[in-house]
Amino acid sequence: MKKLIFVYNPKAGKGKVEEQRDIITRTFVKNGFDVDIHATTCKGDAHDFLTAYLAGVKKCLNQLESQCADAQGAADAEEKKEMRASIMPARIVVAGGDGTLQEVMQAVVESGLDIPVGILPTGSTNDFGYSLKLSKDIRKNAEIASSGRGFKCDVATFNGQYFVYTAAFGLFSEVSYATSQKLKNTLGHFAYLAQGAATLYKTKKIHAKVMMDSEIIEDDFLLGMVVSAKSVGGFRGITGKGVKLNDGLHEVMLVRWPKNPIELAKALKEVLTHKRNGKYFKMVSAKNICFEFDRPIKWSVDGEYGGKRKAAKIRVEKQRIKYIVP
């Protein structure tokens, strides 16, 4: 049987994955997989587990190549293929929020192995799952993860570290990691609205120089975001139409600092109507993006705290990973 590695966060999504683990596993087995299960215990566990596991896989593959070479071609192509299949997982499936997905994605990309990743999104907003046209139902997503097709997707690095789909600073950027998991589980994306409204009064303008491929913008900003998704914080379609996840580009969204409540209302209107080149809102597609600030600025990366940075370099790598989609 083909091998499937199932990594899940038992605390995400009100513990729904833990409750339905047996059903999910039976779905994988029904579709021809031998399943190894790993439940994460803390932040970073998914990455550490897979990094060690895939290092072992690579070691075994290297030994296989060496043995086949020593045998001077005694093992035919079909036999070698079967031996590789017994070592290499056919796919890895991850269940959890954006943080768990980021850890799994990073481990797979760093390994250099071409292993498709299936996703059972169980977070509060499931922005990336929505972008990949996944279901809201865990069982349906288990079926997709074990029988769907591969889709080559872009990834990007934030100061050298891989992230799945978004890095942001300014208004709303602190919302995900500053909002309690209990509140996010209860209210979904409304928790983001509540937390964002609470932080508006204390948000300070951020002066930044932004270099995007051949374009440079320097101004005071309320919000800056680099994103490759069709939903952010549960707001569907906020990046507009025509956004692709495999074109080697990410969307750079910048909201200029409004001087008064009237200008703030106008800025938000431009964002919600996807006016790419408005007076207050600008959106540019780019591969290489660099931010320079006059002071260290807090960042959010895939909903997790990304540290304070006086400079941030983001580079998009085209079709670097394969996800499983309907």
Side-chain angles (χ1 to χ4, degrees):
M1 297 179 73
K2 298 172 290 184
K3 187 181 295 185
L4 183 150
I5 311 301
F6 180 41
V7 180
Y8 76 97
N9 179 355
K11 295 181 180 180
K14 301 179 183 179
K16 290 180 181 178
V17 182
E18 188 73 72
E19 293 173 1
Q20 302 188 53
R21 190 181 71 173
D22 291 343
I23 295 174
I24 293 168
T25 304
R26 286 199 296 270
T27 300
F28 297 155
V29 173
K30 179 195 72 174
N31 284 308
F33 290 98
D34 181 24
V35 185
D36 286 344
I37 301 174
H38 178 79
T40 62
T41 57
C42 60
K43 182 179 179 180
D45 181 63
H47 177 266
D48 293 346
F49 162 74
L50 278 176
T51 296
Y53 182 93
L54 296 177
V57 169
K58 292 182 72 173
K59 182 178 180 180
C60 290
L61 289 174
N62 289 335
Q63 290 174 344
L64 174 63
E65 292 296 333
S66 177
Q67 290 169 0
C68 290
D70 293 342
Q72 297 180 345
D76 61 26
E78 190 62 31
E79 183 181 358
K80 183 177 178 181
K81 182 179 178 181
E82 289 179 3
M83 293 170 71
R84 283 183 60 87
S86 69
I87 298 170
M88 178 94 116
R91 57 191 59 188
I92 295 170
V93 178
V94 52
D98 292 338
T100 309
L101 172 59
Q102 186 278 330
E103 291 183 32
V104 169
M105 178 275 294
Q106 183 172 340
V108 173
V109 171
E110 289 174 344
S111 76
L113 296 171
D114 184 19
I115 304 175
V117 176
I119 306 173
L120 312 185
T122 59
S124 304
T125 58
N126 300 326
D127 293 318
F128 196 64
Y130 172 83
S131 300
L132 293 178
K133 298 181 180 179
L134 298 179
S135 171
K136 292 182 179 180
D137 184 89
I138 292 178
R139 298 184 190 185
K140 289 182 180 178
N141 285 328
E143 182 66 38
I144 292 169
S146 52
S147 64
R149 66 179 179 89
F151 170 75
K152 290 185 177 181
C153 188
D154 301 339
V155 298
T157 57
F158 175 83
N159 285 356
Q161 180 179 350
Y162 287 101
F163 66 94
V164 178
Y165 75 102
T166 182
F169 66 87
L171 182 66
F172 286 103
S173 64
E174 296 182 35
V175 170
S176 186
Y177 64 80
T179 305
S180 71
Q181 187 62 52
K182 182 177 180 181
L183 186 60
K184 288 192 284 188
N185 286 342
T186 304
L187 300 179
H189 85 270
F190 289 104
Y192 289 75
L193 278 174
Q195 188 74 24
T199 59
L200 177 60
Y201 76 95
K202 61 180 180 180
T203 300
K204 298 178 180 179
K205 65 181 177 182
I206 299 170
H207 188 82
K209 182 178 182 181
V210 189
M211 292 153 279
M212 303 166 288
D213 293 340
S214 59
E215 185 171 359
I216 299 176
I217 298 175
E218 186 168 2
D219 210 332
D220 294 330
F221 297 102
L222 177 69
L223 166 69
M225 181 182 296
V226 178
V227 60
S228 182
K230 298 178 181 180
S231 172
V232 180
F235 297 98
R236 308 312 193 197
I238 196 170
T239 50
K241 297 179 180 179
V243 173
K244 296 181 179 180
L245 308 185
N246 61 351
D247 60 355
L249 303 172
H250 274 23
E251 309 305 315
V252 185
M253 302 172 64
L254 300 169
V255 180
R256 291 185 172 89
W257 181 259
K259 297 177 181 178
N260 53 58
I262 294 176
E263 288 192 354
L264 174 61
K266 291 179 179 179
L268 293 176
K269 181 179 179 180
E270 289 183 358
V271 173
L272 295 174
T273 56
H274 316 127
K275 194 171 184 178
R276 292 181 70 100
N277 289 291
K279 182 177 179 181
Y280 304 100
F281 175 65
K282 186 175 182 66
M283 188 159 73
V284 177
S285 300
K287 178 179 180 179
N288 295 291
I289 308 109
C290 182
F291 295 86
E292 293 180 355
F293 305 98
D294 58 357
R295 68 182 191 276
I297 298 298
K298 289 182 180 180
W299 280 80
S300 170
V301 181
D302 284 337
E304 302 291 332
Y305 180 54
K308 283 187 173 183
R309 313 283 180 172
K310 199 170 181 180
K313 292 183 179 180
I314 295 172
R315 182 171 63 88
V316 181
E317 297 185 11
K318 186 175 182 179
Q319 299 181 13
R320 190 69 169 78
I321 194 168
K322 187 182 292 181
Y323 290 114
I324 302 166
V325 298

